[in-house]
Amino acid sequence: MTARPWLKIVAVLVGLFLTVPTLVVIPMSFSSAKTFRFPPGGWSLEWYERLFTSPEWTTAIVNSLQVGVITAVLATVLGTAAAIGVTTLGERAKGLAVGFLLSPIIIPNILIALVIFTTFLRIGLTGSLFGIALAHTALALPFVVIAVTARLQGMDPALRKAGGSLGAPPFAVFRKITLPLAMPGVLSGAVLAFISSFDEVVISLFLQSPTAITLPVQMFNSVTVQIDPTISAASSLMVLVVSVPILLAQVVGARRGSRGK
Amino acid sequence: MAADTAAPPKRTLSPSGRRRVGGLLLLLPALVALTLFFVLPLLSIIVDSVTDPEPGLGNYASLFTDGYTLRVLGRTLLVALVVTVAGVLLAYPYAYMMTLAGPSVRAVMVTVVLVPFWTSMLARNFAWMVLMQDGGVVQGVFGLVGLGDVTLLGTTTAVTISMTQVLLPFMVLPMFSVMQQIDRRLTLAGQSLGASRFSSFRKVYFPLSLPGVAAGASLVFVLALGFYVTPALLGSPQSSMIAQVISVRTRDLLDFGGGGAMGVFMLVVTLAVLAASRRLTGPGGAAGAAHAIVGGNER
Amino acid sequence: MTTPTPGAGRIELTSLSKRYGSGPLVVDDVTIDIASGEFVTLLGPSGSGKTTTLNMIAGFTEVSSGRIRLGGRDIAPLPPHKRDFGMVFQNYALFPHMTVTQNIAFPLRERKVPKAEIARRVEQVLELVDLTGMGGRRPDELSGGQQQRVALARAVVFSPSVLLLDEPLSALDRKLRQSLQQEIKRLHEELKLTFVFVTHDQDEAMSLSDRIAVFNNGRVERIGTPADLYRNPGTRFVARFLGESNLFEGSLRPGGVYEWGGHKWAADGTPGEFDLVVRPERLRIAATPAEVPADANQVPATVAGLYFQGTHQRIELDYGEGPAGCAVLPPDAVGADLRPGSGVTAYWDPAHQVLVTRPNEENE
């Protein structure tokens, strides 16, 4: 069955709508103007220079990296353990546990921000990078759980039984069979957890303090509080840091998929 | 595993029982973390909403009596609805095309959906700010088609356009995952039985794709309700949506009761919409979308 | 469910060809004249062009060149839904969101048949396929065999003049397949429609069809009745695809002598490079060459395997070179001392051998 021409045209237009607007940030970042005029009148590296030298931006970048790494580590450890733990549950309990673990993905971020903010305010965790990382961990957990679960589902349950029948005690089966097989899922979960934290803005906005400003918060403030074109360089950086790993994963995935056939 | 060393051999658990205990131990930390950082705070907010500043349902009553709050609520629901409808109209042909395309074209199409999803939210909103500013590209396009110099930035229109784009992946992926499972021969069968190509599509394919539409639409609607960044950057205080009001109430006014009531109301709407869509689509819907987003082309 | 008008179900395929883009011909100059009410099977391995041919008849695939006529009328310009063919698909293609009754009523609704008439005809056809009372079920509540019978009912309920069947039994297990073969045969006799049946299963083709068109590399290699094709396959491909054979790749010399591996056998025909084929049930086995009748052709062989199968026994034979063969004999036709590895003499009546052509290139 072939696609009608109009269908192809609509699909191309939707594809352009999805991708092209975002690309604006790249030429913008090389603009020499102090405004957001597009297309830029002249070119310069001024905003990149500012992004990597001015203390408010560099601090924000370092903060974001710290929060992202802490989040990735916590979420990956908790999420991987949980995803493996879930496989031992019965059908009903499994559904409940997975539903609970995935709930942060469906609850609007503003709500999570609201509840975490009020609680952290009471226990004095606002304004600290660690507090932000903890909140991000709850948010990133579903990504790790999904990635690892998907990997485990593709795994033949007989492998575990085979390990047992060959004399490996349960922990050895876990360490030598389950974990290595789940590894690709664990790694992609970790990357996704890092990215979801690195890009998160709403919760970080609520929990921010002058000493705890992440890159997205600094970007947000740079357009709402003052007009600072450095955001265009930061945006380009974000596109690079966030999109490139995903794109690579896609390409590798597609290649692996086609090789499998 | 702990039982293994502590108890004498006779009283060790059976292998399956031991596995179960091990599994629970693995699961526990995540459940505790989620409870500590999500469930308990949520409960405290619910408590706040009926006790702060005074016990009773006053916070909820003012939600539906205060003119400003009502306007914001109405605007939020309207924007979410428009974004959802526009999303369905754009995503359906795209997702359908994905099922028709060959493997390599399809991989490109999946990437085109996933990359914006994972592209920084702020970068995307900033891009829209640039495009929609006065004298910007979008205004120029509007001018070309004879709409004149409409001001976009700071209006609900700008917010709606940008949100439609940002949320489109959530629409495409569940639709695609449902459409992919529809046997293409069914529409051929319809044609062999005397239905025209269009009629066969309408009576056979479309009804079968509806679960995907419902899953995508409910997901987008729910996410649109709670959108904060886009209305904050592209809208204006005059076109606030509920998330901004919640932010102002709690962060600036420390009115946890009032903000909490709004949050709880939003949560209730969210859960109601998701439950309704779950009835329509079965449990796979939203979860399927989540899997598609994380797993990419793994399936 | 009325008897179609005579001649309405005649399908003429004339020089039908299909190529995708600038690729090779998938269907290459296919000409078949199918009489009204005939059961014709398109048989061939996967990729041989049989399904593409069926899809061209159904209208799902555009014709690159050639003509398709139904009842004398060119149907090339008609879209699938106006061709009025019933079609049964490989995996049934029942609409999962409709009940059995709704599935069967679908073609009638599309044709704006009055409601009462629809109800009557659905009942009638449910009875025909022995599914009375199942109308309220959903397809996923039915067994594979029941689903296939619903698919058959749906494809014939609107009284098409032709029924196209695309490997309809391939998804079923062996036992079910046999009972549905009988069902299809019975439907064909009762409805007197033209059946065009696509399969890669030679047994199915042989037991169902009036005629079989054997497809190879996009071409119709041979067309004929099952018995005719079996006895006189004509080409090596057909000989090997339809039934088993003992095949010798020698050549026919002038003077009625067929030469293979140093053996000389009596054979008729124009000299040339032909394969000699003997069907297993025509082959006899002797313990020593002395026991072979004088006018028989013979060849020494080694027994590779012996299988007792109740009504007959099967002896697999190794001829030293060329493809292995076998003999199918009555249970007591050979001595009990035969073992795998025994040397024997295989022989046959020259009247029971056939010569077949070889493929031009090694593109089998």
Side-chain angles (χ1 to χ4, degrees), chain A residues 115 119 122, chain B residues 35 38-49:
Chain A
V115 299
T119 306
R122 278 177 194 141
Chain B
T35 307
F38 183 58
V39 179
L40 290 182
L42 183 64
L43 290 177
S44 86
I45 274 291
I46 296 175
V47 171
D48 280 346
S49 73

Side-chain angles (χ1 to χ4, degrees), chain C residues 162-235:
Chain C
V162 176
L163 189 61
L164 307 175
L165 302 105
D166 181 12
E167 310 225 11
L169 305 179
S170 62
L172 302 170
D173 65 52
R174 194 167 179 78
K175 219 167 165 176
L176 215 53
R177 217 149 60 195
Q178 276 165 2
S179 84
L180 269 154
Q181 277 181 23
Q182 291 165 9
E183 183 100 16
I184 288 174
K185 190 92 178 159
R186 185 174 64 81
L187 270 179
H188 179 240
E189 275 152 21
E190 256 176 66
L191 299 172
K192 303 191 167 50
L193 304 180
T194 309
F195 275 40
V196 182
F197 188 95
V198 163
T199 187
H200 61 263
D201 182 326
Q202 43 144 328
D203 294 332
E204 218 166 84
M206 299 252 250
S207 57
L208 288 173
S209 326
D210 294 330
R211 281 195 298 157
I212 299 173
V214 181
F215 274 69
N216 184 27
N217 283 325
R219 292 173 154 272
V220 174
E221 189 121 348
R222 288 273 282 155
I223 181 161
T225 65
D228 180 29
L229 287 186
Y230 186 74
R231 279 193 219 112
N232 191 13
T235 69

Side-chain angles (χ1 to χ4, degrees), chain C residues 34-99:
Chain C
I34 302 169
S36 196
E38 198 180 11
F39 194 128
V40 169
T41 296
L42 314 184
L43 174 70
S46 65
S48 60
K50 57 187 195 305
T51 301
T52 310
T53 303
L54 191 79
N55 280 330
M56 284 194 282
I57 300 176
F60 296 133
T61 302
E62 241 176 274
V63 173
S64 298
S65 68
R67 252 195 323 201
I68 304 176
R69 275 183 297 193
L70 172 66
R73 195 162 62 104
D74 192 345
I75 56 167
L78 293 180
H81 67 280
K82 296 219 168 110
R83 296 197 176 191
D84 236 16
F85 291 146
M87 182 148 176
V88 180
F89 293 80
Q90 194 169 10
N91 293 322
Y92 330 128
L94 295 179
F95 305 135
H97 58 307
M98 300 181 189
T99 62

Side-chain angles (χ1 to χ4, degrees), chain C residues 104 125-126 129 131 148-158 187:
Chain C
I104 298 176
V125 80
L126 276 175
V129 296
L131 285 174
Q148 192 53 281
R149 280 188 280 163
V150 174
L152 279 167
R154 187 179 68 174
V156 299
V157 69
F158 56 99
L187 270 179

Side-chain angles (χ1 to χ4, degrees), chain C residues 223-246:
Chain C
I223 181 161
T225 65
D228 180 29
L229 287 186
Y230 186 74
R231 279 193 219 112
N232 191 13
T235 69
R236 178 196 282 186
F237 178 80
V238 176
R240 298 184 115 180
F241 200 76
L242 266 185
E244 289 186 290
S245 41
N246 296 277

